[in-house]
Amino acid sequence: MEKLPQSVLFCCDHNAVRSPMAEGIMKKFYGTGTYVQSVGVKNDMEIDGFSIAVCQEINVELSRHRSRSFDEMEQWGDDLSSFDLVVALSPASQRRALELTRFFHLDVDYWPIMDPTGLGENRESKLQMYRQSRDQIIEKLISRWGDPKEAP
């Protein structure tokens, strides 16, 4: 079990599905002792409604999340070098993070979390796919940093 880092940045393709879920769940599980943010390679989508729904099932509130890209993050003064750890949840975000971090001594981890968008025929089967991604994130968090400080 690793000690919690001071700060973590989760990233995925659009900052609309996987990285906001990871950000919200990590904040819920481990409290405010770690600064947690999320970002996308592109910011061309709002937070996904299915992500909001499956996170609500475990009392994680995502509806106020605003999607942002790596570029916007820098414009808003959140410097990549101020994060202890960058966790990429998609191949494209891993490439972008490695590209941006080659100037800093920064750990970039890759967690291959399934992209649930476009999967499932109807609402219930779509929710199942999003739950699968959410649960993959939960497994990764717990295997890395241990049980949640507060029960999910």
Side-chain angles (χ1 to χ4, degrees):
M1 227 45 65
E2 288 182 39
K3 199 166 108 7
L4 281 165
Q6 296 282 293
S7 54
V8 178
L9 179 68
F10 289 103
C11 54
C12 64
D13 296 350
H14 303 279
N15 193 219
V17 179
R18 290 167 287 180
S19 56
M21 283 204 273
E23 176 188 348
I25 294 168
M26 180 154 187
K27 285 175 176 170
K28 168 91 175 154
F29 277 15
Y30 304 112
T32 53
T34 299
Y35 178 68
V36 185
Q37 289 292 303
S38 65
V39 68
V41 175
K42 297 190 278 290
N43 164 24
D44 53 1
M45 295 163 82
E46 280 304 302
I47 177 87
D48 187 292
F50 289 108
S51 294
I52 294 172
V54 300
C55 283
Q56 260 170 351
E57 295 172 350
I58 59 166
N59 295 318
V60 171
E61 181 50 61
L62 291 187
S63 63
R64 290 188 303 278
H65 177 80
R66 292 291 156 258
S67 300
R68 62 183 187 157
S69 65
F70 279 107
D71 297 339
E72 287 167 320
M73 186 182 95
E74 287 175 22
Q75 288 161 13
W76 296 346
D78 244 340
D79 199 347
L80 207 57
S81 61
S82 65
F83 289 94
D84 297 324
L85 174 66
V86 177
V87 179
L89 307 175
S90 68
S93 66
Q94 181 190 27
R95 280 193 301 278
R96 185 70 202 273
L98 288 170
E99 206 174 281
L100 291 168
T101 57
R102 65 173 184 256
F103 306 110
F104 313 115
H105 177 70
L106 246 193
D107 290 332
V108 177
D109 279 9
Y110 174 55
W111 295 359
I113 303 297
M114 179 186 86
D115 181 0
T117 57
L119 301 174
E121 305 301 304
N122 55 32
R123 180 171 168 76
E124 195 41 52
S125 62
K126 283 180 190 303
L127 284 169
Q128 281 306 110
M129 294 299 152
Y130 279 76
R131 284 183 194 115
Q132 234 177 301
S133 298
R134 176 199 67 197
D135 295 346
Q136 285 179 346
I137 291 167
I138 290 171
E139 272 170 39
K140 288 283 194 189
L141 288 170
I142 291 173
S143 72
R144 179 94 182 238
W145 293 300
D147 288 329
K149 286 193 167 71
E150 82 181 66

